[in-house]
């Protein structure tokens, strides 16, 4: 594709996303799904530019307003990004916006004037507000400022960088070294070992793992290092009975099965049957099907679950959440999640936490996890749980994992036992994990 044609595709995708407010991944997948003729290299560049427009959404909007340009559509933002981020000149942009087949229409006088006003400027400007500089809605900026204070710009700068590709080596199928050899045999280069996850690998962006022998043989799974750390903190041992109550696609379920060396019993539940269907296929490929039972449930008060009170050695609750810890991969989330959504989520999280706690046997552990960066979904909810449930005690992360990375504490919270991960501090997605041990039998829930 011509450079101009790629830009036209980005503009069309961005405007489609803006008008529908649908999931960004779904919008771009739908676009490419009806245009099979677009090659892999073109898809990568189009996708990167589309997500960049979302990553720079607030700052591009600020500059368009500052320049007195009323239009804020994909075309205007693409032009602004070419000047402010890529340093393109008027002549460069004119060559791409030339009206040729599949290319954007020629520049009109107002757009030429806009380019001239933006030339020599950079994306960041001292006059921008904190919310604009960090690419956050005002309400979310205020919440995260309470958590990170002066470190917030550095935190959000890390969230605004694309994530690399993380893999978990499935030790039921082989070792980390054998996985590296297999991937290298398939021509994969730039493989690094994960910093914290013992069976983790990190690869450059843009690689297709689905065609590798290691993936087809179940030797590797695509999983961010933060999720692998969460599995490690479950401390699953062979022979245990474990409940993965919000299993989703089964990524953590498979990690638990590997830690148990396939011996024991894992009950993986979810309210979405389609996700469990995918988990079933993954378990078969991973060689973990014998110890995993998959079950669709209506909700956290499902009668099947209620009959298993005090039954499990470990209960993992990777609860539904805002997902704001995955902004490196899903930058549009910050513009789609509102305060009303958070209130609904925390209510659901509290119910799941109560139901999960009732399933833990005395001496067993409850693991609460989110891929959210909001204290409302994490620390505040956990503190309420600790006040209400005297039959549980918090287990410090370092007791389970002595060489754990330093957590990012909330103000005055250096003594808190839970773990908060971030791309700025740990190179992972944003993630929160808290572990509790049941000290008394307690009531059914």
């Amino acid at each position: 594709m011509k450079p101009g044609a790629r830009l036209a595709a980005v503009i069309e995708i961005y405007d489609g996303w803006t008008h529908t407010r649908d999931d960004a991944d779904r919008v771009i997948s739908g676009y490419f799904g009806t245009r099979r003729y677009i090659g892999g290299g073109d898809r990568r560049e189009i996708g990167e530019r589309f997500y960049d427009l979302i990553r720079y959404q607030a700052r591009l909007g600020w500059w368009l307003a500052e320049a007195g340009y009323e239009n804020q559509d994909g075309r205007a933002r693409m032009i602004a990004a070419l000047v402010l981020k890529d340093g393109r000149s008027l002549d460069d942009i004119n060559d791409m916006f030339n009206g040729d087949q599949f290319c954007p229409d020629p520049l009109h006088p107002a757009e030429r004037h806009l380019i001239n006003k933006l030339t020599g400027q950079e994306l960041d400007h001292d006059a921008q507000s904190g919310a604009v500089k960090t690419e956050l809605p005002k309400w979310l900026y205020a919440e995260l400022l309470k958590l990170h204070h002066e470190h917030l710009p550095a935190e959000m700068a890390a969230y605004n960088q694309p994530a690399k590709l993380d893999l978990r080596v499935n030790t039921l199928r082989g070792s980390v070294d054998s996985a590296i050899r297999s991937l290298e045999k398939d021509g994969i280069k730039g493989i690094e070992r994960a910093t914290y996850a013992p069976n983790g690998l990190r690869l450059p962006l843009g690689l297709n793992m689905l065609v590798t022998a290691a993936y087809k043989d179940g030797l590797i799974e695509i999983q961010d290092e933060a999720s692998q750390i969460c599995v490690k903190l479950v401390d699953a041992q062979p022979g245990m009975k474990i409940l993965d109550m919000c299993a989703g696609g089964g990524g953590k379920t498979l990690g638990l099965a590997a830690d148990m060396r396939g011996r024991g019993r894992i009950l993986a539940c979810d309210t979405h049957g389609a996700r469990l269907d995918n988990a079933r296929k993954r378990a078969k490929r991973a060689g973990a099907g014998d110890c995993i039972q998959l079950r669709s449930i209506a909700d956290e008060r499902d009668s099947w679950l209620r009959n298993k009170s005090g039954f499990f050695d470990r209960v993992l609750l990777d609860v539904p959440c805002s997902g704001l810890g995955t902004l490196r991969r899903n930058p549009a989330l910050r513009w789609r999640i509102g305060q009303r959504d958070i209130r609904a989520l925390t209510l659901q999280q509290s119910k799941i936490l109560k139901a999960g706690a009732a399933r833990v046997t005395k001496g067993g552990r409850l693991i609460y996890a989110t891929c959210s960066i909001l204290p409302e979904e994490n620390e505040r909810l956990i503190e309420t749980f600790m006040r209400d449930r005297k039959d549980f005690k918090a287990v410090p992360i370092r007791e389970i994992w002595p060489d754990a990375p330093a957590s990012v504490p909330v103000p005055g919270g250096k003594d808190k036992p839970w773990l908060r991960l971030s791309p700025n501090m740990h190179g992972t997605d944003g993630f929160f994990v808290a572990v509790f041990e049941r000290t008394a039998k307690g009531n059914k829930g």
Side-chain angles (χ1 to χ4, degrees):
M1 293 176 72
K2 295 179 180 178
R6 290 194 289 268
L7 296 183
V10 175
I11 293 168
E12 185 176 351
I13 295 168
Y14 181 86
D15 285 339
W17 171 73
T18 301
H19 293 147
T20 63
R21 285 297 175 180
D22 197 357
D23 180 79
D25 285 344
R26 199 153 41 232
V27 170
I28 197 168
S29 295
Y31 181 87
F32 288 139
T34 58
R35 294 164 177 82
R36 303 285 185 184
Y37 54 84
I38 299 179
D42 291 323
R43 289 180 181 228
R44 278 192 293 276
E45 182 173 335
I46 291 168
E48 287 170 7
R49 284 195 175 275
F50 166 60
Y51 284 111
D52 279 348
L53 288 187
I54 298 175
R55 289 188 178 97
Y56 312 146
Q57 172 120 329
R59 285 171 290 175
L60 290 175
W62 185 89
W63 273 113
L64 290 172
E66 186 73 7
Y69 196 81
E70 294 184 0
N71 204 336
Q72 294 262 347
D73 64 4
R75 181 180 169 100
R77 289 171 178 274
M78 189 73 260
I79 290 171
L82 288 169
V83 179
L84 297 166
K85 194 68 175 63
D86 295 358
R88 296 289 191 141
S89 68
L90 174 59
D91 289 341
D92 290 337
I93 299 172
N94 194 59
D95 287 343
M96 293 182 284
F97 284 65
N98 54 26
D100 287 352
Q101 187 179 23
F102 305 122
C103 293
D105 291 338
L107 297 171
H108 52 71
E111 291 172 333
R112 293 174 178 273
H113 182 64
L114 171 66
I115 293 169
N116 286 330
K117 291 193 76 170
L118 297 181
T119 296
Q121 302 288 354
E122 295 182 352
L123 196 58
D124 295 308
H125 193 280
D126 289 343
Q128 292 168 348
S129 68
V132 170
K133 287 179 180 178
T134 53
E135 293 288 339
L136 292 170
K138 290 180 180 179
W139 73 269
L140 185 53
Y141 174 79
E143 285 296 316
L144 294 180
L145 191 60
K146 298 173 190 174
L147 177 68
H148 294 297
H149 299 281
E150 69 275 12
H151 301 296
L152 182 57
E155 287 291 322
M156 295 317 301
Y159 279 110
N160 270 327
Q161 296 297 317
K164 289 191 176 183
L165 177 65
D166 286 358
L167 305 177
R168 178 184 60 81
V169 176
N170 174 23
T171 53
L172 293 175
R173 295 294 198 197
S175 66
V176 174
D177 287 338
S178 66
I180 293 173
R181 288 194 298 270
S182 178
L183 290 170
E184 289 177 339
K185 187 176 180 181
D186 277 338
I188 304 299
K189 299 178 181 179
I191 304 171
E192 302 173 3
R193 289 180 180 261
T195 305
Y196 305 113
N199 300 315
L201 298 174
R202 180 159 291 171
L203 282 68
L205 284 173
L207 297 174
N208 183 5
M209 291 294 102
L210 305 187
V211 300
T212 65
Y215 181 84
K216 293 176 181 178
D217 295 341
L219 181 55
I220 58 169
E221 287 285 341
I222 299 170
Q223 187 177 44
D224 184 73
E225 188 177 10
S227 293
Q228 297 181 49
I229 292 170
C230 175
V231 171
K232 179 181 178 67
L233 296 179
V234 176
D235 194 27
Q237 302 295 327
M240 281 186 171
K241 298 188 294 292
I242 295 180
L243 173 64
D244 187 354
M245 195 166 149
C246 310
K252 294 181 182 65
T253 308
L254 298 181
L256 295 172
D259 285 350
M260 296 165 69
R261 298 196 285 278
R263 301 198 299 271
R265 186 180 179 191
I266 304 173
L267 299 180
C269 306
D270 203 89
T271 56
H272 297 275
R275 294 179 186 172
L276 290 179
D277 288 340
N278 184 45
R280 187 172 288 106
K281 295 174 185 175
R282 294 173 71 184
K284 183 178 180 181
R285 187 177 68 245
D290 290 346
C291 70
I292 297 173
Q293 177 185 348
L294 302 168
R295 187 177 182 94
S296 179
I297 57 175
D299 54 30
E300 75 281 348
R301 294 187 64 81
D302 189 277
S303 59
W304 180 81
L305 273 180
R306 287 175 65 84
N307 289 332
K308 291 185 169 43
S309 293
F311 182 77
F312 296 97
D313 302 298
R314 299 284 189 271
V315 173
L316 171 60
L317 304 176
D318 182 12
V319 297
C321 69
S322 63
L324 289 168
T326 66
L327 287 176
R328 297 184 303 165
R329 307 170 197 280
N330 303 294
L333 273 176
R334 74 194 84 196
W335 307 115
R336 293 177 58 233
I337 294 287
Q339 289 173 290
R340 183 179 298 178
D341 300 309
I342 300 303
R343 286 192 291 271
L345 282 167
T346 54
L347 179 61
Q348 184 182 14
Q349 290 157 0
S350 296
K351 291 178 179 178
I352 293 173
L353 185 54
K354 179 181 178 182
R359 314 281 88 82
V360 182
T361 190
K362 183 179 179 181
R365 288 180 180 173
L366 175 71
I367 299 89
Y368 176 87
T370 76
C371 54
S372 171
I373 53 181
L374 286 176
E376 193 170 350
E377 298 182 84
N378 297 324
E379 289 92 344
R380 294 176 197 166
L381 189 142
I382 286 301
E383 286 164 358
T384 300
F385 174 78
M386 292 179 68
R387 285 195 301 267
D388 294 343
R389 296 300 298 260
K390 302 304 181 184
D391 53 332
F392 281 86
K393 68 173 183 179
V395 181
I397 295 299
R398 292 191 181 278
E399 283 189 16
I400 312 166
W401 187 18
D403 55 346
S407 62
V408 181
V410 295
K414 292 183 179 180
D415 59 334
K416 302 300 183 184
W418 35 73
L419 182 68
R420 177 182 278 275
L421 301 168
S422 80
N424 182 46
M425 295 294 292
H426 309 102
T428 69
D429 283 348
F431 216 87
F432 178 89
V433 186
V435 181
F436 303 92
E437 186 170 303
R438 191 163 201 169
T439 58
K441 192 168 182 180
N443 298 322
K444 290 185 177 181

